[in-house]
Amino acid sequence: TTADAPLVGGTYEDYDGFMAEASASRPDNVPEETLNHFLKHYGDAYTQLIALIAEEPGLVEPLGPTSPVTGAEIVYAAQSEMAVTLADAVFGRTTLGFFGWPGDAVLRRAAELMARSTGWDDAQQNEQIESVRAVYAMRGVAYDARPVPAEPTPTSHEVPA
């Protein structure tokens, strides 16, 4: 039981000390509010998110203006939390789905990030976005019905402009 064994991310014994240490070691490129979000939702596993951001600094950015969820959290969900669908990442592994309809652009970015681990092509990413849209529809949450198309992926012989 959790009375005897801590939950994942909760292996620290001194919460205040843990928070102070995490704050003191916050990388300069991680905003304080982002670190606090990580600490609140991931506990001592926040270091794995920080490691992802160290490898790819752009992952520190929130996916959209209405949610604090970052690209690192989506990558972490796919790589470390066994999220195999976008709906699982949106509703089960992160708080992205907690704030109402995040927008197609946010879901597109999340699908692209998950595709790194899952190998989804553009059609599969679209299917995953439609599955999330269906969950919102089932819950009676209003959403913008205009999908955002995937950015074309250059082939190996094309040079991006």
Side-chain angles (χ1 to χ4, degrees):
T1 69
T2 56
D4 302 318
L7 294 172
V8 172
T11 58
Y12 50 83
E13 295 205 14
D14 172 17
Y15 179 76
D16 291 333
F18 164 71
M19 295 295 284
E21 183 180 318
S23 183
S25 64
R26 177 180 59 84
D28 290 339
N29 68 328
V30 177
E32 186 173 342
E33 61 272 9
T34 300
L35 177 65
N36 289 336
H37 171 78
F38 290 169
L39 294 171
K40 179 180 178 184
H41 294 282
Y42 298 91
D44 58 17
Y46 84 96
T47 58
Q48 295 177 52
L49 297 165
I50 298 297
L52 288 169
I53 292 166
E55 291 175 21
E56 186 177 344
L59 293 177
V60 74
E61 297 298 324
L63 294 176
T66 62
S67 171
V69 174
T70 65
E73 291 174 84
I74 298 297
V75 172
Y76 179 75
Q79 290 180 354
S80 301
E81 293 188 328
M82 296 185 280
V84 295
T85 67
L86 184 59
D88 186 16
V90 169
F91 299 110
R93 310 297 175 163
T94 71
T95 59
L96 186 57
F98 293 13
F99 304 100
W101 175 246
D104 277 312
V106 169
L107 293 178
R108 169 69 52 208
R109 177 72 177 133
E112 290 168 350
L113 290 169
M114 282 196 72
R116 296 176 180 183
S117 295
T118 63
W120 297 333
D121 61 21
D122 288 345
Q124 291 167 311
Q125 290 177 47
N126 289 336
E127 290 171 11
Q128 292 294 319
I129 292 168
E130 287 306 312
S131 293
V132 170
R133 187 185 300 279
V135 171
Y136 278 106
M138 180 182 70
R139 294 179 178 179
V141 175
Y143 59 85
D144 185 350
R146 295 169 293 156
V148 175
E151 292 291 323
T153 305
T155 61
S156 60
H157 64 276
E158 294 177 336
V159 175

